[in-house]
Amino acid sequence: MMHKKRSRHDSHFRIQHYLVLLLILFAGNGFSQKIAVSGYVKDSSSGEFLPYSNVWFVQLATGVAANQYGYFSGIVKKGNIEMIVSFTGYKSEIVKLNLQSDTTLNIYLKAPSLGEVTILGNRASNFGSDLNRVSIPMSRIKEMPPFLGEYDLIKALALTPGVNSGADGSSSLFVRGGSSDQNLILLDGATIYSNSHFFGFISVFNPEAISHAELFKGNFPARYGGRLSSVLNITMKEGNTQNNETSMTVGPISSQITNQGPLIKGKASYLLSGRATYTSLITMPLYLIIGKNDAMFNYLMYDINAKVNYTFNEKEKLFLSVYSGNDFWNITDKYNFKRTSVGLNWGNTTASLRYTRQFRNRLFSASQLTYNHFNFNYKISDKSLAQPAEYETSSASTGSKVSDLTAKQRFEISTGVRNSMVFGVDLANQVFYPDYYKLKNINLGTNLPDSRNNRYAFYTVSAYIEDRYQLTGWLGVNGGLRYSSQFLKDITYHSVEPRIEAEAKTTDDISFSLAYSRMSQPVFQLSNTGQGLPIDVWAPITKNLRPSKADQWSAGIKKNLKALPVSVQAEVYYKRLSGLIDYNQGVSFVTNVSKSWEQNIVQNGIGKSYGFELLVSKTTGRLNAWVGYTLARNYRKFEKINDGQWYIARFDRTHDFETTMAYKINKKWKCSMNFVYNTGQPATLATTVHEDLSGHRIPVYTSRNNLRMPDYHRMDVSFSKEFLTRRKKHPATISFGAYNLYSRVNPFYVTLDNFKSFGERDNSGNSLGYVSRYKSGTLFGIVPFINYSVKF
């Protein structure tokens, strides 16, 4: 279904439009002889935009992808034209037109009704359809087994080749050998600095508030910068412009409620979504009922997503989105007239204001202002309960903060039948407090002040251009160039980042790709080297610490087997990194407050990673499934770590296999399954032990990441039933299943067991030899779950 509207020449132009007109005049030979067809792809029931939809021009045997606002633009010849418009999880729409002048369209796609099998047309935007890129709507994620009853974007992406999340209870992403801080995570254009709730068990992305996500593993568009390994661009739902709608979900960990609807029907809409855990509702009453003499554990997590959109006319739109999420964890213990309390809290706050405008039918403009703030704080206190008090209350509080304010301006223009361009500028101000602390009645050193609050700040100016050019019917080139400068008080850093891809398509539906990207990163995250509390410090470049760099080369091939129908794609990559940092051996944030973060790190590290990725996917019919495999190696080298020798990185996984399947049994019932296997995680473990002169047993470490944990594998299953409630006939879904179905004991940590004495003994009867063994601990055996959701 579509609505068509003829374009009219604007009678008045603002001063800034002159630059746009000059670009159009010089964009290409014979530009005025072509016809521009542009518009938006939307959901037919809610009126929301469908980001990254595919628009295929049949006669030209080429297509374009809509941007995150659902906007597309192409240059075609006059006369009859046929377009196939598709989006994952929706019925494809075939549009036939006779065009004689520039035309603007609104194209509406229909989602399948309850129990209906999704139909995807030719060139549909299937999961994993592009090499170096993963594109997935939340509707697809809800076909997978949930983690502890929670549908989770991060854990779904970790089931794709080249991506893993580390271990159980982790919301980190490690992409093609990169660390978790090397991922640029954007929520409606605003940066997310921490993507984990509940100590990593679930991510900060409420599935009911998210519309779509795309992950770039390589061939990064030039509009993105500031990270080395990946870009995860997440789009929130716009809000239903036609009808009010409320959804509620109750799960074993948390519950959520989402309300959306029109403020002005067809013109303005809103979305408000909230999610929280129940832990405090259980632990606090127990603490009050059982008594206040023992230990108390308390945890609270919440996040709020809000969005308002206003459409001035078909060409001008305004979006305001806000996110706030926080975690609060506290343990209080009473012993011998003393109360000790340990607390940790962390969270993100973001705001994004965006204005989009379509100039004529060939140029699209997006202006954006974003604000981001991340904070974590760790606090411990000790109070005497004796009367009178035996000592004064003491406390120590330490943490890290980062915030930034960014302005972005982007233009997208179609300059020919087979050519389009994107260009823009970004301006950002970033402020860091990497290692602030405050002490009360604690003496850690004679020269250590009671507080520290060092401030670091810098400005970044970036400009970029992207050009997509189809040289022939089978060969195309995507080129890009990004330039950025970081301005510090005493120094300025410059970075030139070229990106280029050559892609070819044969007549028998085989695609080839060769790509190269250079990335630069001016911020760093220092993480605990072991398992434990999620204490992560964000630190900036300084006069003595330069930005990190990465160069990545990749090649891939994809074949669509229409008869099955199955898609097969394989990729290889090689990545080279420089300017890396890490904690010194044995250093952690909390135990080294007396030194600044700059004194606790080693610099100028280098890295390399390479791998092979294979993905086989089927996304049509009753059975939707994909099978992925990754063979990869990942190494790091620092002059002051591991005696300056190469060592295996902590996030190295030699073999990584995953499969997920979703089968629609009938109109109401469906089932799904995940299976994951990967090589064990490297760890730095003691290899032997010796006794000092006082008889203390001291572990001996030989090298960094010298041993691996046992291999990891598990299977998850889920069954769900869609139905209408009896009284009100509201759509509802009940899901149940199990995480780690066969209760695999996957190691979460490994430590040295008690030493067993053996061999001869000295004159005092002490053994002269010891046998050391490792023991491991796990987080989960089999974990059943049940989840209920309803819409009204």
Side-chain angles (χ1 to χ4, degrees):
M1 179 171 57
M2 69 168 184
H3 294 162
K4 182 170 73 172
K5 180 179 179 181
R6 296 290 180 184
S7 64
R8 294 191 178 98
H9 185 75
D10 295 326
S11 57
H12 299 284
F13 291 92
R14 298 185 181 94
I15 295 176
Q16 62 264 37
H17 296 179
Y18 290 127
L19 178 61
V20 171
L21 290 176
L22 286 172
L23 183 63
I24 294 175
L25 289 174
F26 292 101
N29 226 351
F31 187 78
S32 61
Q33 298 176 2
K34 306 299 180 182
I35 294 173
V37 55
S38 60
Y40 296 88
V41 183
K42 302 180 181 181
D43 183 295
S44 62
S45 60
S46 67
E48 292 188 62
F49 300 118
L50 297 179
Y52 313 113
S53 303
N54 273 6
V55 180
W56 182 255
F57 300 107
V58 177
Q59 287 86 347
L60 299 176
T62 189
V64 297
N67 62 18
Q68 69 186 88
Y69 304 97
Y71 171 83
F72 71 93
S73 178
I75 306 296
V76 299
K77 298 178 181 179
K78 288 184 179 181
N80 294 322
I81 185 170
E82 181 177 337
M83 299 160 38
I84 300 176
V85 185
S86 58
F87 184 75
T88 303
Y90 285 72
K91 296 181 178 180
S92 296
E93 183 77 14
I94 299 176
V95 180
K96 296 181 179 180
L97 298 169
N98 186 292
L99 299 180
Q100 300 300 320
S101 61
D102 290 354
T103 303
T104 300
L105 307 171
N106 280 327
I107 300 175
Y108 294 88
L109 300 184
K110 293 182 179 180
S113 59
L114 185 65
E116 186 177 359
V117 177
T118 305
I119 301 171
L120 295 174
N122 186 34
R123 308 284 179 174
S125 180
N126 294 335
F127 185 92
S129 60
D130 293 330
L131 299 169
N132 286 307
R133 173 177 170 264
V134 177
S135 180
I136 181 170
M138 285 306 301
S139 59
R140 186 70 189 280
I141 292 175
K142 291 181 179 180
E143 295 178 356
M144 306 176 189
F147 175 76
L148 303 180
E150 297 280 335
Y151 294 101
D152 195 277
L153 170 63
I154 299 299
K155 289 180 172 55
L157 291 171
L159 294 173
T160 61
V163 183
N164 68 72
S165 60
D168 280 334
S170 173
S171 288
S172 299
L173 281 181
F174 302 98
V175 181
R176 289 186 171 177
S179 55
S180 59
D181 67 314
Q182 294 173 1
N183 308 308
L184 177 62
I185 302 178
L186 302 172
L187 180 63
D188 273 0
T191 304
I192 297 292
Y193 282 96
S194 174
N195 64 318
S196 68
H197 276 316
F198 204 26
F199 302 101
F201 291 117
I202 57 178
S203 73
V204 301
F205 306 112
N206 182 351
E208 296 302 320
I210 302 302
S211 167
H212 194 275
E214 65 172 354
L215 174 71
F216 293 93
K217 300 182 293 182
N219 185 30
F220 305 104
R223 73 193 71 173
Y224 299 119
R227 299 295 189 273
L228 301 184
S229 291
S230 77
V231 177
L232 176 57
N233 191 17
I234 302 168
T235 304
M236 284 175 55
K237 291 180 179 178
E238 307 293 347
N240 196 316
T241 62
Q242 304 300 318
N243 303 292
N244 283 298
E245 181 181 289
T246 300
S247 66
M248 297 179 61
T249 302
V250 180
I253 293 180
S254 67
S255 291
Q256 72 81 32
I257 182 169
T258 300
N259 179 252
Q260 57 180 315
L263 294 172
I264 304 174
K265 195 167 185 178
K267 196 174 184 68
S269 64
Y270 73 93
L271 177 137
L272 181 63
S273 183
R275 180 176 60 161
T277 56
Y278 330 107
T279 315
S280 294
L281 299 178
I282 299 173
T283 57
M284 186 60 71
L286 288 176
Y287 176 68
L288 296 174
I289 294 172
I290 296 175
K292 301 182 180 181
N293 297 321
D294 299 319
M296 184 195 75
F297 165 81
N298 189 34
Y299 172 79
L300 171 67
M301 175 277 288
Y302 77 88
D303 50 32
I304 298 173
N305 295 80
K307 194 167 186 176
V308 177
N309 315 292
Y310 183 79
T311 301
F312 297 98
N313 50 57
E314 283 297 325
K315 296 187 176 183
E316 293 181 272
K317 298 174 176 62
L318 186 68
F319 307 83
L320 174 62
S321 53
V322 176
Y323 167 79
S324 179
N326 282 278
D327 291 69
F328 303 91
W329 173 81
N330 180 267
I331 289 181
T332 300
D333 189 22
K334 297 180 182 178
Y335 180 74
N336 287 343
F337 299 99
K338 180 174 72 172
R339 176 189 292 152
T340 301
S341 178
V342 178
L344 179 70
N345 69 275
W346 69 96
N348 299 273
T349 298
T350 71
S352 176
L353 179 66
R354 295 173 293 163
Y355 169 75
T356 66
R357 173 165 179 147
Q358 181 184 352
F359 294 87
R360 313 183 99 185
N361 287 47
R362 307 181 180 188
L363 182 68
F364 179 86
S365 167
S367 306
Q368 184 170 22
L369 184 66
T370 65
Y371 170 76
N372 322 290
H373 177 76
F374 169 71
N375 174 69
F376 97 78
N377 179 264
Y378 177 82
K379 183 176 182 179
I380 183 169
S381 64
D382 188 6
K383 181 179 180 180
S384 173
L385 300 179
Q387 296 296 332
E390 298 177 351
Y391 54 87
E392 293 186 41
T393 299
S394 60
S395 64
S397 175
T398 183
S400 177
K401 295 185 291 187
V402 56
S403 61
D404 60 68
L405 182 65
T406 305
K408 303 178 182 180
Q409 177 61 56
R410 185 176 85 242
F411 293 100
E412 302 176 14
I413 185 171
S414 295
T415 58
V417 176
R418 300 180 181 275
N419 184 231
S420 61
M421 296 175 62
V422 178
F423 59 97
V425 295
D426 300 341
L427 307 174
N429 172 227
Q430 295 178 271
V431 180
F432 296 79
Y433 296 88
D435 55 357
Y436 69 84
Y437 72 81
K438 185 175 183 180
L439 306 178
K440 180 180 179 181
N441 298 322
I442 295 179
N443 183 14
L444 297 180
T446 55
N447 298 321
L448 187 66
D450 290 336
S451 65
R452 179 175 64 205
N453 198 26
N454 295 332
R455 181 180 185 273
Y456 299 77
F458 65 88
Y459 292 89
T460 299
V461 178
S462 304
Y464 59 87
I465 185 169
E466 304 169 13
D467 192 358
R468 182 182 180 91
Y469 194 85
Q470 196 73 24
L471 297 173
T472 66
W474 61 274
L475 180 62
V477 176
N478 303 322
L481 184 66
R482 182 179 183 88
Y483 169 79
S484 62
S485 294
Q486 284 82 35
F487 298 91
L488 287 73
K489 182 178 180 180
D490 301 315
I491 194 172
T492 300
Y493 294 110
H494 303 277
S495 177
V496 178
E497 305 168 26
R499 291 91 182 269
I500 188 167
E501 179 196 31
E503 55 179 356
K505 296 181 180 180
T506 65
T507 55
D508 52 354
D509 217 7
I510 300 179
S511 302
F512 300 90
S513 172
L514 292 172
Y516 165 78
S517 295
R518 163 161 276 216
M519 302 290 279
S520 175
Q521 180 166 332
V523 299
F524 311 90
Q525 186 184 49
L526 293 167
S527 301
N528 283 349
T529 56
Q531 300 289 351
L533 298 178
I535 299 177
D536 296 320
V537 178
W538 284 95
I541 52 175
T542 66
K543 181 180 179 180
N544 301 314
L545 183 59
R546 302 176 62 86
S548 298
K549 305 286 185 181
D551 296 277
Q552 182 176 227
W553 296 263
S554 62
I557 181 173
K558 177 183 175 183
K559 168 67 175 177
N560 290 319
L561 306 174
K562 296 181 180 179
L564 294 179
V566 166
S567 173
V568 181
Q569 64 184 60
E571 298 178 69
V572 293
Y573 68 88
Y574 177 81
K575 185 188 297 183
R576 186 176 61 199
L577 305 101
S578 63
L580 305 178
I581 70 170
D582 201 352
Y583 275 128
N584 278 310
Q585 189 79 32
V587 171
S588 68
F589 180 74
V590 174
T591 59
N592 290 269
V593 175
S594 60
K595 295 182 179 180
S596 71
W597 67 273
E598 292 180 87
Q599 296 172 303
N600 286 326
I601 64 171
V602 289
Q603 303 182 28
N604 301 319
I606 58 176
K608 60 183 178 181
S609 60
Y610 49 88
F612 165 78
E613 301 169 2
L614 177 67
L615 176 65
V616 181
S617 60
K618 179 182 182 297
T619 57
T620 59
R622 290 184 178 276
L623 176 65
N624 280 215
W626 75 82
V627 178
Y629 170 73
T630 305
L631 173 65
R633 299 313 306 265
N634 186 13
Y635 299 93
R636 295 291 185 269
K637 183 178 180 181
F638 288 85
E639 182 179 348
K640 297 182 180 180
I641 296 178
N642 204 52
D643 295 326
Q645 302 299 311
W646 286 99
Y647 61 90
I648 299 174
R650 183 168 60 94
F651 18 89
D652 176 87
R653 300 290 186 276
T654 306
H655 301 282
D656 191 356
F657 174 85
E658 59 276 321
T659 181
T660 183
M661 301 181 184
Y663 181 71
K664 201 164 193 61
I665 301 172
N666 54 39
K667 291 184 178 181
K668 293 184 177 181
W669 282 93
K670 62 182 178 181
C671 61
S672 57
M673 180 274 291
N674 292 337
F675 177 76
V676 178
Y677 168 86
N678 55 57
T679 305
Q681 175 178 324
T684 303
L685 300 172
T687 55
T688 187
V689 66
H690 75 268
E691 287 188 354
D692 62 13
L693 296 177
S694 301
H696 300 134
R697 296 173 179 176
I698 302 174
V700 176
Y701 296 88
T702 56
S703 60
R704 175 70 70 95
N705 295 333
N706 57 320
L707 296 173
R708 284 187 182 270
M709 293 185 179
D711 292 351
Y712 178 99
H713 56 86
R714 74 168 200 275
M715 178 182 288
D716 314 323
V717 295
S718 173
F719 295 87
S720 62
K721 179 184 179 182
E722 298 176 339
F723 59 96
L724 300 176
T725 58
R726 290 184 178 181
R727 293 186 178 181
K728 300 293 185 178
K729 303 299 180 184
H730 296 308
T733 303
I734 186 168
S735 302
F736 59 91
Y739 176 86
N740 195 7
L741 179 64
Y742 53 86
S743 197
R744 159 72 175 177
V745 181
N746 287 305
F748 183 69
Y749 64 87
V750 175
T751 61
L752 275 174
D753 201 351
N754 294 327
F755 302 110
K756 180 180 178 181
S757 301
F758 76 97
E760 298 181 1
R761 297 180 180 272
D762 60 18
N763 295 332
S764 300
N766 297 318
S767 176
L768 297 178
Y770 300 96
V771 173
S772 57
R773 291 186 175 90
Y774 297 107
K775 67 176 182 179
S776 62
T778 188
L779 279 180
F780 303 111
I782 181 173
V783 183
F785 67 85
I786 186 168
N787 180 293
Y788 176 78
S789 62
V790 62
K791 292 183 178 181
F792 52 89

